[in-house]
Amino acid sequence: QVQLMESGGGSVQAGGSLRLSCVASGYSGLWNPKRMAWFRQPPGNRREGIAAFAPGSQSTYYHDSVKGRFTISRDSAANTWSLEMDSLGPEDTGMYYCAAEMYSGTYAPPLAGRAYTYWGQGTQVTVDS
């Protein structure tokens, strides 16, 4: 059973940085997702896709609210990916989830939650003003 596990959340002052990581486990063979992504859910709001990475094309996708501040990347361990978050503000507070989309023959936009099969449990990020 595939499991995703996030780490790296915490509290930080506005203007600070955090790095989130996600590790996939429980899969058989090679870890070969179509896309890997990060979502967040601010308090009282819906979950939104903020960054995605397609290993095959090396393409990245970002929500407008994080462009230029967040960077998604795949780590040297192929089953691990990260989200580097800089210039954090209180609006970035929320629960952050990693997700993985496997090849299925169907299409959904890279930041759409319905594209993703596997989800982590989430890690909390709190940015104090």
Side-chain angles (χ1 to χ4, degrees), residues 18 25-26 38 42-43 47 57 62 64 75 84 87 97 101 103 109:
L18 281 175
S25 63
W38 288 93
R47 187 173 60 189
S57 64
Y62 294 99
D64 285 347
D75 293 358
E84 181 73 34
S87 301
Y97 301 88
E101 177 190 7
Y103 286 93

Side-chain angles (χ1 to χ4, degrees), residues 48-60:
E48 60 184 0
I50 57 173
F53 173 72
S57 64
Q58 297 288 299
S59 298
T60 54

Side-chain angles (χ1 to χ4, degrees), residues 5-8 19-23 38 75 80-83 98:
M5 177 69 73
E6 304 94 342
S7 62
R19 182 180 178 90
L20 306 181
S21 291
C22 182
V23 179
W38 288 93
D75 293 358
T80 303
W81 60 105
S82 299
L83 185 69
C98 62

Side-chain angles (χ1 to χ4, degrees), residues 7-114:
S7 62
S11 296
V12 65
Q13 292 292 316
S17 299
L18 281 175
R19 182 180 178 90
L20 306 181
S21 291
C22 182
V23 179
S25 63
Y27 53 91
S28 58
L30 295 176
W31 176 245
N32 186 34
K34 178 180 179 181
R35 287 190 286 235
M36 301 176 283
W38 288 93
F39 288 72
R40 73 180 173 196
Q41 186 168 14
N45 286 282
R46 298 174 62 180
R47 187 173 60 189
E48 60 184 0
I50 57 173
F53 173 72
S57 64
Q58 297 288 299
S59 298
T60 54
Y61 311 87
Y62 294 99
H63 191 278
D64 285 347
S65 65
V66 306
K67 282 181 182 176
R69 300 188 300 122
F70 290 12
T71 303
I72 187 171
S73 61
R74 190 176 195 176
D75 293 358
S76 57
N79 65 335
T80 303
W81 60 105
S82 299
L83 185 69
E84 181 73 34
M85 305 186 293
D86 298 318
S87 301
L88 286 162
E91 68 278 9
D92 296 312
T93 292
M95 187 69 78
Y96 284 68
Y97 301 88
C98 62
E101 177 190 7
M102 312 310 286
Y103 286 93
S104 66
T106 62
Y107 175 79
L111 298 182
R114 67 180 186 275

